Structures are given as C-alpha cells and as structure tokens.
Amino acid sequence: MSCNQDHFIEQEKVCKATYLSNLPENISYIIYRGGYEDCELVDDLLQLQTNDDLEHTFIKTYDAFKIANNIFEYDYILRTNTSTYINIELLN
C-alpha cells in the first residue's frame, strides 16, 4: 500500500530498486494507491478511486483486495506498506 504523496512515492522507488527488483519468478507484487478517477492496473500500480488519505486506509485496502481477487490467481496475499521489509528467501 502506498499514497500519492512524494515521500511515499520515493519509498516505492527505493523498494523497486532493491528487493522488489530481485523477486523470484514465482513471486509478484502490486502497489495500490487511491485518488484516481478510474480503477485500473497500470504495470505494477493498482489505481483506486478510493480516497487516498489515512482515514480511508481500510476501504482502500478492501477495494484493492476485492479487485486483486477478481484479476489475479494467487496462493496468498500479503498486505504491507512501503516501510515493510520482507525476507523474500524465507517467504519463497
């Protein structure tokens, strides 16, 4: 999960440049943010119509899960934020 604020977008860039760039082939990710006019998946960004402020975190996450459930085939979903570190080797 992320937000449309500069410091969150910078954190996304760091994540993408480090551990997200080295994911095994069987692990993928999406980042979701609110505040868009349409719900749309653009590359690895799920754009949601939900408000993007802290007050709407639950509904933004719910909307992202609902959409992900309809468009992806998965074994599990981890909901994290841009300050979360995941031990990918252990996860895999």
Side-chain angles (χ1 to χ4, degrees):
M1 178 185 72
S2 187
C3 293
N4 276 319
Q5 297 171 359
D6 290 342
H7 65 280
F8 289 110
I9 293 171
E10 287 302 314
Q11 287 176 348
E12 284 179 30
K13 289 178 185 176
V14 170
C15 293
K16 289 177 182 182
T18 57
Y19 75 93
L20 290 178
S21 67
N22 296 311
L23 290 177
E25 199 172 292
N26 65 323
I27 297 177
S28 59
Y29 74 92
I30 60 169
I31 294 171
Y32 62 95
R33 288 191 228 129
Y36 294 90
E37 289 187 27
D38 297 310
C39 290
E40 183 178 17
L41 182 62
V42 178
D43 297 324
D44 59 9
L45 177 64
L46 180 57
Q47 300 173 343
L48 302 170
Q49 290 176 303
T50 313
N51 288 335
D52 202 43
D53 56 15
L54 186 59
E55 182 179 325
H56 293 89
T57 298
F58 171 80
I59 193 69
K60 182 168 66 170
T61 300
Y62 176 81
D63 287 349
F65 276 25
K66 188 168 60 171
I67 292 168
N69 192 51
N70 289 327
I71 62 175
F72 295 108
E73 191 172 310
Y74 57 88
D75 293 319
Y76 52 86
I77 295 176
L78 297 175
R79 185 268 188 204
T80 66
N81 59 29
T82 54
S83 63
T84 302
Y85 174 79
I86 298 172
N87 184 332
I88 298 299
E89 289 183 27
L90 184 59
L91 175 67
N92 198 24

